[in-house]
Amino acid sequence: MTTSTDTTQRGSAPQPGGTRKNSLTAGQMPRWTWIAVAIGALVLAAGLTALLGGGSFSWTGWLIFAAVLYIVGMYVTTYAIENKRRATDGIWRNLVWAAFILALIPLVSVVWTVFANGLPTLLANPQLLWTDMGGVTGADDIATQNEGASLQGGFLHGLAGTLMITLMATIISVPIGLLTSIFLVEYSRGGWFSRSIVFFVDVMTGIPSIVAGLFAFAVVELFITTFIGESPRHVQMIKMGLTAAIALSVLMIPVVVRSTEEMLRVVPNELREASYALGVRKWRTIFKVVLPTAMSGIASGITLAIARVTGETAPILVTAGYAAATNWNPFSEWMTALPVFIYRQLMNPTAPAAGLPSADRAWAAALVLIVIVMLLNLAARIIAKAFAPKKTGR
Amino acid sequence: MSKRIEAIDLNVYYGNFLAVEGVNINIEPRSVTAFIGPSGCGKTTFLRTINRMHEVLPGARAEGRLLLDGEDVYATGVDPVTVRTQVGMVFQRPNPFPTMSIRDNILAGHKLNGARMSRSEADGIVEKSLRGANLWNEVKDRLDKPGSGLSGGQQQRLCIARSIAVEPDVILMDEPCSALDPISTLAIEDLINELKNEFTVVIVTHNMQQAARVADKTAFFNIAGTGKPGKLIEYDETSVIFNNPANKQTEDYVSGRFG
């Protein structure tokens, strides 16, 4: 299937013993070979797609055919003109590129879809950011969909919930995670205790998030029924922002422990010894020399852990429930997080007969969520730069 | 402000491995003593037992007596931190704290221990220590710049300034010039000559000319073979060690002959 490109290549290949050239570059393909092969592959794939499609032309099919033809074509061409070694080198390079592009497709596609669907809604209805769903009924959405009334409601309650729950989860997990990794790196001497901590932290990394949610629910239930009371009014108290924060910290702690541990291990031992030699105690050495030196990596690890749990849905749904009104207090009443809001708006639209306004709100919320996560990642980079030990001044 | 160091039958272990055996040595105050010997013979290990830095490594310990002006630093109940405030140490590779400025590096010994001091008091310590380390003129205009921005020789002098800032009685130096060029080495050697007016200086070196240049007394350590403990072979005036050693091993080592 690559004969056409093949023959064109052979004619132009520099012949050994032809015009006097650098002997070191003899027998090499001309630089434009890959362009020729690419064009040949695209043309051939277009013909093939049109033939197989039977009238309708599939763009995806065309690109896939072209990619396969290009990889095979480059291999055959290189094999024919140069040698097998270079052909094998080339095919692996092309496969790596193909894998990279494949991996990029879903990422770009997700971001594109969310922006395309969410941005127009958000720009037309910026009040989504500062109103909640309190008082919004199905009648409003039916009016929006059928009579063109403006979109009602918003997801301020989701923003408040995500913010408060993530903040609480961070307050819980950062000290625990930080101190655990300090124990692992600075105090334990590789005994069974530290090895089992490492093992269980690794197990925790792979815990399904719904299990974390149920665990937090069970813990808070046990606490409340034991110490406060068992009446239905008390059982109602279980679902609150704090319970969700506990669930999220179960997911967050292992991430914080592992990233901090790595960062502490790369702090040179010389710095610890320098500090000891000045007569500084161990805990002061850790808090004033080791931690500041590793701070950039630790801070970015924590930020990435926050970004990871911000998108959790299931554990928050079972622990904090779903509310329509804004609730800033994580210690009582139900709370809505942005991912839960998105899930509920799509699965149970406010107006079951008119789902479009709900879907619009969900897309806008998804856009805001992605922007938050992107900003957190950006913050991680800025923090890492800001805290990094200064190397300038020479 | 300067103390005598005496070791009496000191054995140093890494776990069960006896690294240095039976060291008996008497180091005078206000003097420079050099430890020489082949790699792995226990010079650095013994040096690190003097300020109890040895035991920072897991399983490492020392047996016997090590006296600072007659007081045993290995007596029960002695806090290693107290010992280290009296016995400062300079390491092989310059290791200024990368997160701190030059000024904060000098003040590290005070600040890390939570000491509060007035600005003028701190300035006084910084200037005195940097002048003591012959670094003041080079860095006085950039005290707030990071210490890691200095050259290798300047960094090492910064580390020396950092250890004299806490006013120890003894300064231990573990091959302080091995990572430096000859000019920086000369600056440090000059500095060592000045330091002995105030401190007891003990220096480990692989460079025998350096030992001959800076040390009043020299101790030669040797090892019988791999897996065997290192021993103190000979300890005498530097001129005697290099010109007229009593021991055959010492003579072979300082003259470059082996076996």
Side-chain angles (χ1 to χ4, degrees):
Chain A
M1 41 198 210
T2 51
T3 39
S4 59
T5 53
D6 226 14
T7 41
T8 55
Q9 292 315 305
R10 250 185 213 142
S12 62
Q15 299 297 317
T19 47
R20 181 69 184 162
K21 275 186 178 175
N22 186 343
S23 67
L24 294 174
T25 58
Q28 283 184 1
M29 296 186 296
R31 292 201 146 196
W32 44 265
T33 313
W34 72 272
I35 301 175
V37 175
I39 293 171
L42 284 172
V43 171
L44 212 63
L48 220 61
T49 318
L51 212 67
L52 291 173
S56 66
F57 189 81
S58 154
W59 288 93
T60 331
W62 178 51
L63 285 176
I64 293 173
F65 269 128
V68 173
L69 284 177
Y70 174 75
I71 291 174
V72 175
M74 275 307 282
Y75 182 76
V76 174
T77 316
T78 321
Y79 200 128
I81 301 175
E82 297 189 342
N83 53 33
K84 190 181 174 190
R85 182 173 59 79
R86 278 176 169 274
T88 317
D89 179 43
I91 201 170
W92 281 111
R93 188 172 53 229
N94 287 335
L95 285 175
V96 167
W97 271 100
F100 167 69
I101 291 167
L102 271 181
L104 219 57
I105 288 171
L107 204 71
V108 173
S109 150
V110 164
V111 173
W112 174 254
T113 316
V114 171
F115 269 82
N117 285 305
L119 203 55
T121 317
L122 199 59
L123 289 179
N125 308 281
Q127 87 281 358
L128 284 172
L129 285 169
W130 57 81
T131 40
D132 56 33
M133 293 300 284
V136 179
T137 60
D140 294 317
D141 277 6
I142 293 173
T144 307
Q145 185 167 340
N146 297 341
E147 296 154 28
S150 66
L151 190 61
Q152 297 296 309
F155 42 78
L156 176 67
H157 56 317
L159 277 172
T162 291
L163 198 71
M164 292 316 292
I165 292 172
T166 319
L167 186 71
M168 294 296 294
T170 312
I171 291 173
I172 298 171
S173 0
V174 167
I176 296 180
L178 212 60
L179 293 177
T180 307
S181 47
I182 287 175
F183 170 77
L184 287 176
V185 177
E186 306 288 338
Y187 285 92
S188 80
R189 297 204 154 167
W192 63 270
F193 186 60
S194 65
R195 268 178 298 162
S196 49
I197 290 180
V198 171
F199 175 75
F200 285 116
V201 164
D202 282 349
V203 171
M204 272 171 84
T205 323
I207 252 184
S209 54
I210 184 75
V211 176
L214 295 173
F215 164 79
F217 190 91
V219 166
V220 176
E221 181 188 32
L222 186 72
F223 187 82
I224 285 180
T225 51
T226 314
F227 293 106
I228 301 181
E230 294 188 36
S231 72
R233 188 173 58 86
H234 292 123
V235 174
Q236 274 287 313
M237 291 166 61
I238 297 169
K239 282 203 171 189
M240 56 177 169
L242 181 65
T243 318
I246 292 172
L248 290 192
S249 43
V250 171
L251 300 169
M252 226 175 130
I253 287 171
V255 184
V256 174
V257 170
R258 291 308 281 197
S259 63
T260 310
E261 194 194 344
E262 293 306 317
M263 287 304 132
L264 291 181
R265 283 200 198 282
V266 300
V267 173
N269 226 358
E270 298 164 2
L271 293 182
R272 296 186 182 91
E273 296 205 329
S275 177
Y276 293 150
L278 289 170
V280 180
R281 290 195 185 279
K282 186 162 187 167
W283 70 272
R284 281 191 180 274
T285 301
I286 292 167
F287 280 92
K288 300 219 165 164
V289 174
V290 179
L291 281 184
T293 309
M295 189 45 81
S296 73
I298 294 174
S300 64
I302 288 172
T303 322
L304 290 177
I306 296 172
R308 184 201 171 291
V309 298
T310 310
E312 284 296 343
T313 314
I316 300 183
L317 189 56
V318 297
T319 47
Y322 179 78
T326 311
N327 171 19
W328 285 97
N329 181 1
F331 298 105
S332 78
E333 299 300 318
W334 292 17
M335 250 182 165
T336 309
L338 270 184
V340 179
F341 174 79
I342 297 165
Y343 170 78
R344 290 287 298 205
Q345 285 286 296
L346 286 174
M347 289 298 141
N348 309 314
T350 313
L356 276 180
S358 284
D360 282 348
R361 279 192 290 261
W363 279 114
L367 173 65
V368 171
L369 188 62
I370 285 192
V371 168
I372 289 176
V373 172
M374 279 179 169
L375 287 179
L376 279 173
N377 278 287
L378 196 69
R381 283 166 180 271
I382 293 172
I383 288 169
K385 250 225 164 84
F387 277 111
K390 314 283 180 292
K391 291 283 182 198
T392 51
R394 190 176 287 261
Chain B
M1 271 305 298
S2 168
K3 286 191 174 177
R4 172 189 305 275
I5 305 165
E6 275 175 280
I8 301 163
D9 291 330
L10 193 78
N11 294 331
V12 192
Y13 295 86
Y14 287 104
N16 289 325
F17 173 68
L18 179 59
V20 183
E21 187 181 18
V23 177
N24 284 290
I25 198 168
N26 185 349
I27 297 171
E28 295 290 325
R30 292 174 203 276
S31 70
V32 178
T33 304
F35 292 174
I36 59 169
S39 292
C41 70
K43 316 178 288 291
T44 299
T45 305
F46 174 61
L47 190 80
R48 287 167 63 96
T49 56
I50 299 177
N51 67 343
R52 297 192 64 168
M53 282 296 287
H54 175 63
E55 64 206 70
V56 169
L57 303 168
R61 66 203 158 87
E63 284 172 5
R65 303 214 298 153
L66 199 134
L67 309 179
L68 270 187
D69 263 4
E71 292 173 319
D72 190 355
V73 304
Y74 282 97
T76 39
V78 172
D79 186 349
V81 173
T82 319
V83 177
R84 288 177 203 142
T85 55
Q86 297 179 9
V87 185
M89 189 162 196
V90 176
F91 296 85
Q92 189 168 359
R93 290 231 319 250
N95 53 2
F97 298 121
T99 52
M100 298 183 193
S101 66
I102 293 172
R103 184 188 148 85
D104 288 343
N105 260 290
I106 301 294
L107 295 173
H110 296 281
K111 278 198 171 168
L112 294 182
N113 275 323
R116 295 187 179 279
M117 56 178 83
S118 67
R119 173 135 192 126
S120 59
E121 207 181 335
D123 286 341
I125 292 174
V126 170
E127 181 168 351
K128 182 166 175 270
S129 312
L130 283 172
R131 281 193 192 282
N134 290 337
L135 194 60
W136 174 252
N137 287 328
E138 288 160 68
V139 300
K140 64 182 174 195
D141 299 324
R142 44 172 174 163
L143 291 176
D144 292 322
K145 294 274 165 56
S148 42
L150 298 174
S151 77
Q154 289 173 326
Q155 286 188 22
Q156 192 64 298
R157 277 180 284 151
L158 179 64
C159 293
I160 294 174
R162 182 174 68 186
S163 44
I164 59 181
V166 295
E167 305 191 335
D169 303 310
V170 178
I171 295 180
L172 309 176
M173 297 190 179
D174 184 2
E175 297 183 46
C177 303
S178 66
L180 304 182
D181 69 297
I183 294 174
S184 308
T185 302
L186 184 69
I188 302 236
E189 286 177 4
D190 287 345
L191 176 56
I192 292 171
N193 266 322
E194 290 170 26
L195 290 177
K196 78 171 176 183
N197 297 325
E198 268 189 82
F199 308 99
T200 310
V201 180
V202 183
I203 173 171
V204 166
T205 179
H206 272 293
N207 182 331
M208 282 183 274
Q209 287 82 6
Q210 182 171 61
R213 282 193 298 263
V214 301
D216 302 313
K217 288 183 125 188
T218 298
F220 172 63
F221 287 75
N222 204 357
I223 187 168
T226 1
K228 301 251 174 59
K231 282 182 181 163
L232 174 63
I233 303 297
E234 192 172 351
Y235 173 54
D236 213 326
E237 297 291 329
T238 301
S239 56
V240 177
I241 292 282
F242 283 99
N243 299 321
N244 192 16
N247 192 295
K248 180 77 170 55
Q249 288 181 44
T250 315
E251 191 182 345
D252 288 347
Y253 187 78
V254 298
S255 60
R257 277 197 305 274
F258 296 98

